[in-house]
Amino acid sequence: MYSKVTSAMIRGINSSIVNVEVDISDGLPGFEMVGFLDSAVKEAKERVKTAIKNSGIYFPPKKITVNLSPADVRKEGPSFDLPIAIGVLMGMGIIEDSIVDTLIIGELCLNGDISKVNGILPIVYSARERGIKRCIIPKANIEEGAVVENIDVIGVENLNQIIDFLNDQISIEPKKINILQILQADTNNYRYDFSEIKGQQHVKRAIEVAASGMHNILIIGSPGTGKTMLAKRIPSILSPLSIEESLEISKIYSVAGLLVEKQALVTTRPFRSPHHSITMSALTGGGRNAKPGEISLAHRGVLFLDELTEFQKNVLEIMRQPLEEGKITISRVNATYTYPTDFMLVASMNPCPCGYFPDPNKCTCSPMQIKRYLSKISGPLLDRLDLHVEAPNIKYDELNSKKQSDSSELIKERVLNAQLIQRQRYKDIGIRYNSELETGNIEKYCRLGDEEKSLLKQAFESLELSTRAYHRILKVARTIADLDSSENINITHLSEAIHYRTLDKKYWSKGR
Amino acid sequence: MNIEREGYWYWFNNIDGIGRKKQQILLDYFEDVEEIWKVSEDSLKEIKALSSNDVASFVDSRNAEKIKKDFEMLKKWKVEFLSIENKNYPTKLKNIYDYPYGIYYSGNYINNDTLSIAVIGARNCSEYGIELATYFGRELSKAGVQVISGLARGIDTYAHKGALMSNGNTIGVLGTGIDICYPEENIKVMEEMLERGGILSEYNLGVQPRPGHFPMRNRIISALVDGIVVIEARKRSGSLITANIGLEHGKDIFAVPGRAFDKLSEGTNAIIKAGAKITTKIEDVLEEYFDIEESDQFSVKSRIITNQLEKTIYNILDFDPKCIDELEGESKLPIGQFLQGLLSLEIHGAIRKVANSGYVKIL
């Protein structure tokens, strides 16, 4: 007897429908599975057999054939266990009615329990788009599945429960949750606050500017100047997530299997800080079983690369394109995936290999060593870092001072205001932040007066700025003007922006 | 084959194992360099100071072809060999007891008649040291003094750079062959000096830096000058060696004082205690050689800053780097204005940024 169940598989961060067809007929007893399967899917037959038996159901010695279609796409992972089992049970007549408009997904344990799988959110999401009315998913995934509205999401714990449910012997209420409530409940619970850091006013200011326009920023400083501490506090001044953003991020986390149980959505902006030993594919995503990498996990949030110069050079270079385009496309033998990568890059590094440059009593590096060290950051990558700021050594007095610095909440208020101005200005051209401005639009939105133009000219000549700094300076100046709620970029805004281009200047070496 | 006299001297200066001392013995014994060229192996063996190895390399080295080739090589590098008999050999150099019998030279010749001053100091110097070295180099050069130094990292480099700023003739004395740039990062200064100054070395092309070369180089610096200005020096340092040699040579020693326990000034403070002249401006140096009137003919005009905003910021700056937070706090200005003033000062060349530690005034 033939039966058919609808299931789905992950492709990138979207999903596509997979039909599970089961045929049970007389003949030499056996369990055959076809349809371009990897070994985790093939192993399903043992789990399905044993789980059915352990649920107290007699497993007949028949010839069972399972086909997963479309057969030209490679299928991975254990999430087809449950649809296969349901298909078999339908073929055996244990489940009486055929199932329509229902998507089933889940992994089976040998005792018949159903355990959690990755990628539920995008699967339910695209199920709704395709007009499917009901999704039956593992109970452990119910929160993330329920985030999608206008579709019934039912969580099941074991095989017997789903059989009873499909045979209408019990009823399970579809789970409903209120996204808005979750999002609102979870704001302002960030652990760190900028007021905890004494001193480094200049760096804090630069971070405020960077956060306002979502500019990429590089912090340079000796060990112990608080670079990492500062970077960790950046999420505390970023705008709260909108529902769309939250869903976008949650999809990625769902695919990566990083949503913890009972967590329906990612509610805070991601802050990812991979170790500098990270490999290329861990950063970009991919691998045999394609998964999003760190740059995608940082989508709509912050990617913090501590000790930038310690990363392998080729690992850093692959970030160029994603930084520019906000997405990365990875091609592998079996498929091509696209992951979103719209993040704010925050990087930190020491000024020299030993870290204490230019203190003559502590630093033992030769100018050539320093040059080599700095050359690990290529020009094109440096080009994409809008702000460079130095974190000087903190004096003891500053550590001990009673002077209160601005709290994250206060800074956030200013940041949000600046972002609001940007959003209103750019509502027609489909971008949100100054950092996204393209060259053609820079002239239009970052217009300078005569006085400002002459300052910029002078600065370029006497400070030997590189030409690539030009547009960066204008964009950053625009953000500074927005922070000041000023419509025009005036000379103070421009001056400040020029200050944030340290590495372009000639004197990133000793002396003059 | 005929060799010119310079050729004999060149050969005499390039025999493996025969250094300055053995050269002297040979010259004392045979009296003339051409005689030495002609001397037989047996008569060489009579000299006790020469080992059998020395004699062997001596005999091997008498190769007129090679000398000719070497001269072509020197020409290619635009380096000239000056023997003690050459009219361009710096006369002042002959005044020391262990003068080299030949030197290698490129660029402008040393002017034997003008006042020459060495500006020397620590390699790993402070920003304050950089400012002072540039100032002494620049202003001495402007006053017509020939600034001589060792083209080493730190003070030496900035003294040369300063002198080049006022287009003076500045001479670098190397501890390596002239074709070798040590330290590497000085290549630009070195190129500029080959064009507008001069470079001198006791060592032939291709000789790599060795620790022993630098004290030898220092004796040449000291010989060439009338006075030595030590800017920053640690307790045991090459600069102090130069100062000591300078004393032996009877030169004037000037030292820029530093703070009592500052490591970089321990050396200069020590020589001040021993009698070096305390020096804080070029007049302190010049008055030893000329009559300078009280009217500050040579003095640096102090910078005039008219803009009130810039003035406020300039006044809180120092010659030691001050970090931007500190400056902003002291200026009591709003951040935007403060940065505007700072940038404007920087553009006008009144201050400069020091990587990773803030800003300093330019002297």
Side-chain angles (χ1 to χ4, degrees), chain A residues 199-203 205 220-222 351 355 357-358 360-361 363 366-368 390-392 395 398 455 458-459 462-463 491-492 495-496 498-500 502 505 507-512, chain B residues 124-127 130-131 134-135 138 153 158 161 165 184-185 234 263-264 323-326 328 335-337 339-340 342-344 346-348 352-359 362-363:
Chain A
Q200 302 295 20
Q201 290 307 327
H202 187 62
V203 187
R205 166 74 185 175
I220 308 147
S222 296
F357 179 77
N361 293 323
C363 178
S366 74
M368 277 319 266
E390 291 162 31
K395 300 222 164 77
E398 269 182 285
L455 174 77
Q458 280 181 330
S462 71
L463 306 181
I491 205 137
T492 54
S495 301
E496 192 178 343
I498 295 171
H499 271 277
Y500 298 131
T502 332
K505 298 187 188 171
Y507 33 52
W508 188 254
S509 61
K510 192 156 187 158
R512 51 190 209 177
Chain B
N124 210 347
C125 59
S126 68
E127 295 299 327
I130 288 176
E131 281 309 316
T134 318
Y135 158 76
R138 189 184 63 216
R153 198 168 277 159
Y158 290 98
K161 278 189 183 173
M165 276 180 204
E184 289 170 66
E185 68 268 15
R234 281 169 219 270
K263 278 207 174 109
L264 269 167
C323 85
I324 204 161
D325 282 352
E326 205 179 334
E328 193 209 332
I335 176 106
Q337 262 190 13
L339 290 176
Q340 185 191 337
L342 202 64
L343 182 70
S344 162
E346 200 184 351
I347 287 174
H348 296 135
R352 70 184 165 92
K353 189 168 177 314
V354 179
N356 206 33
S357 36
Y359 287 82
I362 290 178
L363 195 62

Side-chain angles (χ1 to χ4, degrees), chain B residues 242-310:
Chain B
T242 315
N244 271 329
I245 299 171
L247 272 183
E248 279 174 33
H249 292 169
K251 313 287 171 157
D252 302 312
I253 310 294
F254 304 89
V256 179
R259 289 161 33 127
F261 291 100
D262 193 346
K263 278 207 174 109
L264 269 167
S265 294
E266 268 178 337
T268 44
N269 288 345
I271 57 172
I272 287 170
K273 269 189 245 170
K277 184 174 180 190
I278 294 190
T279 306
T280 53
K281 49 188 200 293
I282 60 156
E283 288 90 325
D284 295 335
V285 178
L286 296 177
E287 70 185 7
E288 296 291 320
Y289 307 97
F290 311 116
D291 285 327
I292 7 179
E293 287 162 33
E294 277 306 301
S295 72
D296 47 9
Q297 163 189 6
F298 296 116
S299 182
V300 210
K301 304 280 174 289
S302 62
R303 218 173 270 284
I304 298 159
I305 290 164
T306 45
N307 183 315
Q308 193 52 45
L309 174 68
E310 290 176 28

Side-chain angles (χ1 to χ4, degrees), chain B residues 108-147:
Chain B
N108 298 345
Y109 289 120
I110 286 186
N111 190 335
N112 291 315
D113 305 322
T114 48
L115 179 66
S116 299
I117 299 286
V119 179
I120 56 168
R123 282 158 211 255
N124 210 347
C125 59
S126 68
E127 295 299 327
Y128 165 73
I130 288 176
E131 281 309 316
L132 279 172
T134 318
Y135 158 76
F136 274 99
R138 189 184 63 216
E139 296 304 322
L140 282 172
S141 188
K142 210 183 270 173
V145 175
Q146 188 163 249
V147 175

Side-chain angles (χ1 to χ4, degrees), chain B residues 40-311:
Chain B
S40 71
E41 198 171 338
D42 291 335
S43 47
L44 267 181
K45 281 179 184 158
E46 284 167 29
I47 302 172
K48 286 197 190 95
L50 299 185
S51 67
S52 55
N53 278 348
D54 290 344
V55 174
S57 70
F58 186 101
V59 174
D60 275 356
S61 68
R62 281 193 287 204
N63 178 348
E65 271 310 308
K66 187 178 178 293
I67 293 167
K68 233 180 184 170
K69 254 188 206 157
D70 281 5
F71 265 89
E72 273 163 26
M73 191 59 150
L74 285 171
K75 209 169 179 184
K76 217 177 104 193
W77 278 93
K78 290 188 184 141
V79 174
E80 203 177 335
F81 174 76
L82 303 179
S83 79
I84 183 84
E85 286 172 356
N86 193 305
K87 65 174 173 21
N88 290 323
Y89 186 93
T91 42
K92 278 177 187 157
L93 198 48
K94 290 183 192 163
N95 295 338
I96 58 172
Y97 73 96
D98 54 352
Y99 54 83
Y101 289 110
I103 55 168
Y104 303 86
Y105 206 88
S106 187
N108 298 345
Y109 289 120
I110 286 186
N111 190 335
N112 291 315
D113 305 322
T114 48
L115 179 66
S116 299
I117 299 286
V119 179
I120 56 168
R123 282 158 211 255
N124 210 347
C125 59
S126 68
E127 295 299 327
Y128 165 73
I130 288 176
E131 281 309 316
L132 279 172
T134 318
Y135 158 76
F136 274 99
R138 189 184 63 216
E139 296 304 322
L140 282 172
S141 188
K142 210 183 270 173
V145 175
Q146 188 163 249
V147 175
I148 295 183
S149 194
L151 232 143
R153 198 168 277 159
I155 299 290
D156 288 15
T157 304
Y158 290 98
H160 288 305
K161 278 189 183 173
L164 287 171
M165 276 180 204
S166 32
N167 290 320
N169 194 27
T170 177
I171 311 290
V173 183
L174 304 185
T176 66
I178 293 183
D179 57 337
I180 287 169
C181 182
Y182 175 81
E184 289 170 66
E185 68 268 15
N186 273 358
I187 186 77
K188 258 192 175 162
V189 194
M190 197 164 157
E191 275 170 359
E192 210 169 322
M193 283 176 67
L194 283 171
E195 242 167 64
R196 290 163 45 200
I199 298 218
L200 180 158
S201 173
E202 183 183 4
Y203 303 99
N204 202 346
L205 296 182
V207 176
Q208 295 289 335
R210 284 205 198 89
H213 289 176
F214 293 95
M216 298 302 281
R217 183 266 317 255
N218 292 346
R219 89 179 193 282
I220 297 182
I221 295 182
S222 158
L224 290 174
V225 298
D226 302 291
I228 299 171
V229 182
V230 187
I231 305 250
E232 267 182 333
R234 281 169 219 270
K235 223 179 195 168
R236 268 188 293 274
S237 63
S239 310
L240 289 202
I241 295 178
T242 315
N244 271 329
I245 299 171
L247 272 183
E248 279 174 33
H249 292 169
K251 313 287 171 157
D252 302 312
I253 310 294
F254 304 89
V256 179
R259 289 161 33 127
F261 291 100
D262 193 346
K263 278 207 174 109
L264 269 167
S265 294
E266 268 178 337
T268 44
N269 288 345
I271 57 172
I272 287 170
K273 269 189 245 170
K277 184 174 180 190
I278 294 190
T279 306
T280 53
K281 49 188 200 293
I282 60 156
E283 288 90 325
D284 295 335
V285 178
L286 296 177
E287 70 185 7
E288 296 291 320
Y289 307 97
F290 311 116
D291 285 327
I292 7 179
E293 287 162 33
E294 277 306 301
S295 72
D296 47 9
Q297 163 189 6
F298 296 116
S299 182
V300 210
K301 304 280 174 289
S302 62
R303 218 173 270 284
I304 298 159
I305 290 164
T306 45
N307 183 315
Q308 193 52 45
L309 174 68
E310 290 176 28
K311 211 170 184 175

Side-chain angles (χ1 to χ4, degrees), chain A residues 390-410:
Chain A
E390 291 162 31
N393 288 325
I394 305 258
K395 300 222 164 77
Y396 180 78
D397 289 348
E398 269 182 285
L399 283 180
N400 244 3
S401 79
K402 295 255 172 2
K403 210 176 117 195
Q404 268 296 321
S405 55
D406 289 355
S407 70
S408 289
E409 209 174 325
L410 208 67

